[in-house]
Amino acid sequence: MQTDEGSDAMKSLSANGKVQRLMRIFQRTGGEGRWTHPVGSFPEAVRSVLLDHGKAMPTELPVLACFESEDRWTLVTTEHVVVKNGPDVRSFRWGDIVDATVDSGHVSTSLSSDPRGKLALSRLVLVCRGGEHVELLLEPGPSFMGFWNVLKTIGNIAKD
């Protein structure tokens, strides 16, 4: 996975600067899919669902989301990653995320049983400070790779 864009420089950016930097990483390493877009590209009804749950601070800006349904989505803001799987919504501050990875069993299954290979990956694991692992269900394909790189960049910020 590529992670660049120096984490020290990222820490000092304004909220708008973080949006631009993360979107550049997303576009360069994957790009949009059917369900994965910059938050501003979603219809108003979807943006409302995401922002009702995902904007905690007035200075926080929405960046990127994978929205499959009202019960299954992941949102990245300039300060949090918010995950909804079923009835539960969980929010993780950037500083609590130390990595994003893929379970080796999921990789093996995808590589051996799907002609798309690594582009069939759809489950990403957030590794949080304190050792908690949280599974994210994302859209497979190039957008998965872009989302992964965005989350790895966020995890690298927390390591510094």
Side-chain angles (χ1 to χ4, degrees):
M1 283 292 92
Q2 292 180 340
T3 56
D4 58 353
E5 311 289 332
S7 58
D8 285 336
M10 187 77 152
K11 284 181 184 178
S12 65
L13 289 175
S14 68
N16 283 326
K18 289 176 182 176
V19 170
Q20 291 173 0
R21 182 79 49 95
L22 291 177
M23 287 311 304
R24 190 167 52 243
I25 292 166
F26 175 71
Q27 293 298 342
R28 190 176 60 245
T29 62
E32 295 184 47
R34 179 177 174 198
W35 300 320
T36 309
H37 307 283
V39 174
S41 296
F42 282 101
E44 180 60 38
V46 172
R47 283 196 311 267
S48 292
V49 169
L50 293 169
L51 297 179
D52 282 348
H53 296 288
K55 191 172 178 193
M57 306 296 289
T59 57
E60 191 169 2
L61 296 175
V63 181
L64 175 67
C66 177
F67 186 92
E68 184 176 338
S69 71
E70 287 193 32
D71 287 328
R72 185 169 150 183
W73 50 264
T74 300
L75 168 68
V76 175
T77 74
T78 54
E79 297 182 28
H80 292 88
V81 175
V82 185
V83 181
K84 181 152 189 339
N85 277 324
D88 299 324
V89 177
R90 299 205 47 209
S91 181
F92 303 91
R93 292 193 55 73
W94 278 22
D96 293 333
I97 298 168
V98 295
D99 198 9
T101 188
V102 178
D103 176 72
S104 60
H106 180 52
V107 172
S108 296
T109 301
S110 294
L111 292 176
S112 66
S113 66
D114 194 305
R116 296 176 296 167
K118 68 180 183 178
L119 291 177
L121 295 173
S122 62
R123 287 185 274 154
L124 194 60
V125 177
L126 278 185
V127 180
C128 299
R129 197 171 300 287
E132 182 179 11
H133 288 69
V134 179
E135 186 174 75
L136 309 180
L137 303 172
L138 301 170
E139 177 179 6
S143 62
F144 177 90
M145 297 301 168
F147 218 106
W148 188 359
N149 276 284
V150 164
L151 294 174
K152 286 198 79 66
T153 299
I154 290 169
N156 283 334
I157 292 167
K159 289 177 186 175
D160 292 339

